[in-house]
Amino acid sequence: MIKLSTLVVAISLALTSQAQAEQTITASDKAIKLAKDTIIIDTHIDVPYRIHESWVDVTQATSDGDFDYPRAVKGGLNAPFMSIYIPAHLEFEGKGKSYQLANQMIDSMEAIVQRAPDKFAIASSSTDIKEQFKQGKLSIAMGMENGSPIEGDMKNLQHFYDRGIRYITLAHSQSNHISDSSYDIRRKWKGLSPFGKKLVTEMNNIGMLIDVSHISDDAFYQVMELSKTPVIASHSSLRKYTPGFERNMNDDMLLALKENGGVIQINFGSSFVTAKAGSWGKQLKSTKESAKKEGTKLSKDFDAAYRAKNPYPFASLEQVLDHIDHVVELIGIDYVGIGSDYDGVGDSLPIGLKDVSSYPNLVQGLMDRDYSDKDIKKILSGNLLRVLKQAEEYAKKH
């Protein structure tokens, strides 16, 4: 067992090293201005579940988490899609609890606007986002992570659309009544369920974006065949840099996404960005399991002690940029955006992208890689706005 004093020193050194690395990333005045002058849409921020678990007023500065209003303003964030995240528990699926929890978290987003109407506004369309940007307000858009609250009833799709939900991640970490999950080795439906296939059509017709993050490869390709409008991967990165991690997308999927006209929103979580971070997590889990098999009683400081001896391999801003580069090189500038997963991936965020104040660092990195202002604006919001607008126009006709 590591002595407490040794553990404290090790953690202190690790944090100091990380802080020093953070300080080397400095956005220029031009990068900061571009971030402030451009609509920034981040399609996946987990504030609703964060404040559901432990309430905090994000209209003011907070001491924890990755999002609050002052940091959003500093980073230039204008339109976060707040994730109405429903855990993939069997006790939720099909028993009314998913529906109830989703409505409670939507209520919490409306409460934020009511608490600070000078700062926030609910956005339910591409026009809302643009108009609220002009007004200097932060748009709260919403996406539902896990389609279990639909509960097999198309009326619920309309209900959640009316409440402001504009995309649905069909499944999460387990297969549900709509789709198989990339994390679930049981491929119950071998892709989409019969109801899931009907749901895709109805989502198209109503103007709800289909989110292919989290679903299995088979489900992804079935969505590609069925959807008449562009889809999004709201918070996914690339399998090229994380071999074997099905949660990310491979090159063939990116090519299919281009044909569909959709967009992949790059996830910032280190395990999504670099294989080393994913391997670290697997090794920690394996070490725990081995200790338990040997009858060792794990201390409450086990994870911290392990991290002190085996520092977590945080991804870097440069590695996040590599993901963006690869999408652009393979399928073009029109099909990539930002889906950070802030407040959803714990303390695994990359150096230089630790919270919502960090977007200027991303802009600086893109500038350093010779992206034009026009192309940077596409990544920050233009591509997502295009997809959202296409979904809205299709729904008007159907």
Side-chain angles (χ1 to χ4, degrees):
M1 181 180 291
I2 299 175
K3 292 182 179 179
L4 182 60
S5 59
T6 305
L7 175 60
V8 170
V9 170
I11 293 175
S12 177
L13 288 172
L15 292 173
T16 300
S17 176
Q18 180 180 320
Q20 289 171 344
E22 294 273 11
Q23 293 170 3
T24 65
I25 302 170
T26 304
S28 65
D29 290 342
K30 180 181 177 182
I32 294 170
K33 186 176 188 302
L34 184 56
K36 298 271 184 156
D37 292 347
T38 304
I39 295 174
I40 295 181
I41 297 176
D42 187 324
T43 48
H44 201 88
I45 296 182
D46 278 291
V47 167
Y49 199 75
R50 169 189 163 197
I51 65 175
H52 175 77
E53 289 285 277
S54 180
W55 188 86
V56 63
D57 184 1
V58 294
T59 69
Q60 309 291 332
T62 61
S63 60
D64 60 359
D66 308 325
F67 173 96
D68 57 39
Y69 181 76
R71 283 183 284 175
V73 170
K74 181 179 179 181
L77 176 63
N78 315 107
F81 272 75
M82 297 299 190
S83 174
I84 306 303
Y85 162 63
I86 309 301
H89 300 323
L90 292 178
E91 61 264 29
F92 280 93
E93 178 75 3
K95 298 179 181 178
K97 292 183 179 180
S98 291
Y99 180 87
Q100 179 182 2
L101 179 58
N103 280 290
Q104 287 173 343
M105 285 195 280
I106 295 170
D107 288 345
S108 73
M109 294 300 97
E110 292 176 344
I112 287 173
V113 174
Q114 293 167 2
R115 190 175 298 113
D118 56 324
K119 299 176 180 178
F120 296 91
I122 297 292
S124 57
S125 68
S126 57
T127 299
D128 285 349
I129 291 172
K130 293 174 183 177
E131 288 301 315
Q132 289 159 8
F133 174 71
K134 293 177 183 177
Q135 297 166 11
K137 292 185 178 181
L138 193 150
S139 293
I140 291 182
M142 288 181 283
M144 180 183 290
E145 186 178 21
N146 190 355
S148 64
I150 301 300
E151 297 191 341
D153 189 342
M154 292 298 177
K155 291 180 181 178
N156 289 337
L157 176 64
Q158 182 67 54
H159 168 80
F160 286 114
Y161 182 89
D162 291 343
R163 293 220 62 191
I165 298 296
R166 286 302 175 266
Y167 76 70
I168 296 176
T169 316
L170 300 182
H172 191 249
S173 58
Q174 294 181 22
S175 301
N176 59 14
H177 72 284
I178 297 169
S179 174
D180 288 335
S181 164
S182 63
Y183 286 120
D184 195 338
I185 61 173
R186 303 162 299 170
R187 300 301 161 100
K188 179 178 181 180
W189 306 111
K190 294 181 171 55
L192 299 174
S193 71
F195 177 80
K197 292 174 181 178
K198 293 178 183 178
L199 184 68
V200 167
T201 298
E202 291 304 313
M203 288 174 70
N204 282 170
N205 291 341
I206 203 173
M208 183 83 77
L209 292 176
I210 298 158
D211 178 16
V212 296
S213 290
H214 280 287
I215 64 176
S216 69
D217 286 8
D218 286 342
F220 168 84
Y221 285 111
Q222 289 169 21
V223 169
M224 293 298 100
E225 290 177 6
L226 292 168
S227 182
K228 304 299 182 184
T229 66
V231 308
I232 66 169
S234 71
H235 58 308
S236 294
S237 296
L238 306 184
R239 222 174 287 178
K240 172 182 172 65
Y241 301 103
T242 57
F245 186 33
E246 189 179 344
R247 173 64 180 78
N248 277 345
M249 295 176 67
N250 64 29
D251 284 2
D252 287 341
M253 297 169 83
L254 292 177
L255 292 168
L257 187 71
K258 177 180 182 179
E259 187 175 348
N260 163 267
V263 61
I264 178 172
Q265 305 285 102
I266 298 299
N267 191 314
F268 293 173
S270 289
S271 63
F272 290 82
V273 175
T274 170
K276 288 184 178 180
S279 296
W280 186 94
K282 290 177 182 177
Q283 186 60 44
L284 170 59
K285 182 179 179 181
S286 175
T287 302
K288 274 185 171 180
E289 289 175 350
S290 295
K292 289 178 180 178
K293 287 180 180 178
E294 293 170 1
T296 303
K297 186 176 180 180
L298 303 183
S299 73
K300 62 180 181 180
D301 297 322
F302 182 90
D303 286 10
Y306 181 87
R307 186 181 286 245
K309 291 180 67 176
N310 307 276
Y312 183 77
F314 288 100
S316 66
L317 169 62
E318 294 301 316
Q319 288 172 311
V320 173
L321 293 169
D322 288 344
H323 284 252
I324 294 174
D325 279 354
H326 184 70
V327 177
V328 173
E329 290 164 5
L330 183 68
I331 62 174
I333 190 65
D334 296 318
Y335 308 99
V336 64
I338 302 167
S340 64
D341 217 347
Y342 281 135
D343 275 330
V345 288
D347 62 353
S348 75
L349 290 157
I351 294 168
L353 293 172
K354 290 299 184 183
D355 61 28
V356 295
S357 69
S358 304
Y359 299 106
N361 292 344
L362 183 72
V363 173
Q364 184 64 56
L366 292 167
M367 290 169 54
D368 291 344
R369 295 193 180 200
D370 296 325
Y371 282 82
S372 67
D373 288 2
K374 179 181 177 181
D375 286 347
I376 292 172
K377 289 178 180 180
K378 284 186 175 184
I379 294 168
L380 296 181
S381 61
N383 294 334
L384 195 284
L385 284 171
R386 185 255 308 165
V387 167
L388 185 57
K389 183 68 174 177
Q390 286 178 263
E392 293 165 353
E393 291 175 347
Y394 183 89
K396 288 178 182 177
K397 298 175 181 178
H398 297 81

